[in-house]
């Protein structure tokens, strides 16, 4: 299985801050990577697909980049409603695998 | 738009079989997408269980493959999950999701863009 390692596991930031989460794959996955947001008690929500493509309706403050083994997810200006856990997910090889998640809190 | 709704028993006895159904509304299960199951144990991350295409083709997580069966019922526009020989470790929120298939050039891109709300299954006697 391809292992996905997210960093950091948790993060505290202030409203308006730029927030960056990294995701590293254990092998080259090209750009076959998605990012999801999960709020407490809710299902995950797709934010970014194909490493850098913003899902329809998702605010433009969210962005993604990277290819190969190293990927970055960025919130350009943190908003209170962005409090959630964020997951990366690879689909280059089955089984699809997720990172362990990054819990984002407001400072 | 497409919506998904999970249903099934919330409590299953150890060594029993967990059975869940995901009803698809607002679209056809025979569209060119895969239909997936994902679970999340309490306080933990997401684990992909498996998926099915409307043709009946399936892919399973090797860690669960010996215990998992995913099936599709096109007449009812729904798909189902069975997980046998359950233990407390199978206690989780179970989600169904649509894995959208996007063809761009020569490559397919996949992402789970529609999710059910999830259903909690507890394994306990």
């Amino acid at each position: 299985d391809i292992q996905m390692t997210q960093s950091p596991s948790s993060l505290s930031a202030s409203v308006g801050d730029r927030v960056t989460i990294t995701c590293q794959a254990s092998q080259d996955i090209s750009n076959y990577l998605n990012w999801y947001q999960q709020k407490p008690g809710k299902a995950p929500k797709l934010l970014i697909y194909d490493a850098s493509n913003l899902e329809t309706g998702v605010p433009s403050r969210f962005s993604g980049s990277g290819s190969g083994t190293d990927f970055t997810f960025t919130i350009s200006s943190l908003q209170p409603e962005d409090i959630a856990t964020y997951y990366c997910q690879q689909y280059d090889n089955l089984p699809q695998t997720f990172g362990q998640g990054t819990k984002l809190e407001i400072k | 738009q497409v919506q998904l709704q999970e249903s099934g028993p919330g409590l299953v006895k150890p060594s029993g079989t967990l059975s869940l159904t995901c009803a698809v509304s607002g679209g056809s299960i025979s569209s060119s997408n895969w239909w997936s199951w994902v679970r999340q144990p309490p306080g933990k991350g997401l684990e992909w269980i498996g998926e099915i295409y409307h043709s009946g083709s399936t892919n399973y997580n090797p860690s669960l493959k010996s215990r998992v069966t995913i099936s599709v019922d096109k007449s009812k526009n729904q798909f189902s999950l069975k997980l046998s020989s359950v233990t407390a470790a199978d206690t989780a929120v179970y989600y169904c999701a649509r894995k959208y298939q996007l063809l761009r050039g020569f490559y397919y891109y996949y992402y789970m863009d529609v999710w059910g709300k999830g259903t909690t299954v507890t394994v306990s006697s």
Side-chain angles (χ1 to χ4, degrees):
Chain A
D1 298 4
I2 296 177
Q3 305 302 315
M4 306 301 293
T5 304
Q6 286 182 235
S7 183
S9 296
S10 63
L11 174 58
S12 182
S14 300
V15 173
D17 281 356
R18 183 181 182 88
V19 170
T20 298
I21 298 169
T22 63
C23 180
Q24 186 169 59
S26 59
Q27 65 187 67
D28 188 336
I29 59 169
S30 184
N31 58 336
Y32 298 138
L33 182 108
N34 303 320
W35 289 95
Y36 299 87
Q37 175 194 64
Q38 186 179 33
K39 296 184 178 181
K42 301 294 187 181
K45 174 186 176 183
L46 176 71
L47 298 182
I48 303 283
Y49 64 93
D50 188 21
S52 60
N53 289 279
L54 196 65
E55 170 70 337
T56 302
V58 174
S60 59
R61 64 180 180 273
F62 296 100
S63 64
S65 64
S67 67
T69 60
D70 295 304
F71 301 86
T72 300
F73 172 81
T74 300
I75 306 174
S76 60
S77 178
L78 184 66
Q79 300 301 303
E81 60 267 30
D82 299 337
I83 298 313
T85 300
Y86 293 84
Y87 294 92
C88 61
Q89 174 241 331
Q90 69 79 24
Y91 60 93
D92 182 53
N93 279 2
L94 292 176
Q96 304 177 83
T97 48
F98 293 87
Q100 80 278 17
T102 295
K103 187 174 182 179
L104 180 54
E105 298 173 331
I106 292 285
K107 191 181 293 183
Chain B
Q1 71 277 24
V2 174
Q3 293 183 310
L4 306 179
Q5 178 65 59
E6 305 91 346
S7 61
L11 181 64
V12 181
K13 287 183 167 40
S15 77
T17 297
L18 179 160
S19 296
L20 298 174
T21 296
C22 182
V24 179
S25 59
S28 173
I29 202 165
S30 296
S31 58
S32 299
N33 302 296
W34 288 80
W35 304 92
S36 305
W37 288 98
V38 175
R39 72 179 182 178
Q40 185 171 37
K44 296 189 177 181
L46 301 166
E47 180 182 31
W48 177 75
I49 299 170
E51 62 191 11
I52 191 164
Y53 200 67
H54 61 78
S55 63
S57 294
T58 54
N59 293 306
Y60 298 133
N61 192 323
S63 68
L64 299 168
K65 187 173 184 177
S66 63
R67 300 193 290 131
V68 172
T69 302
I70 298 175
S71 58
V72 64
D73 186 335
K74 289 186 281 188
S75 68
K76 294 183 178 179
N77 217 37
Q78 64 186 33
F79 61 107
S80 299
L81 168 70
K82 289 189 186 300
L83 181 65
S84 63
S85 305
V86 297
T87 69
D90 295 309
T91 293
V93 177
Y94 285 76
Y95 296 100
C96 57
R98 180 180 78 171
K99 191 172 92 169
Y100 187 78
Q101 180 173 269
L102 173 67
L103 177 61
R104 186 179 289 168
F106 296 106
Y107 300 99
Y108 279 105
Y109 298 92
Y110 298 94
Y111 43 88
M112 290 181 280
D113 65 337
V114 180
W115 294 69
K117 292 183 178 181
T119 188
T120 298
V121 178
T122 301
V123 178
S124 175
S125 55

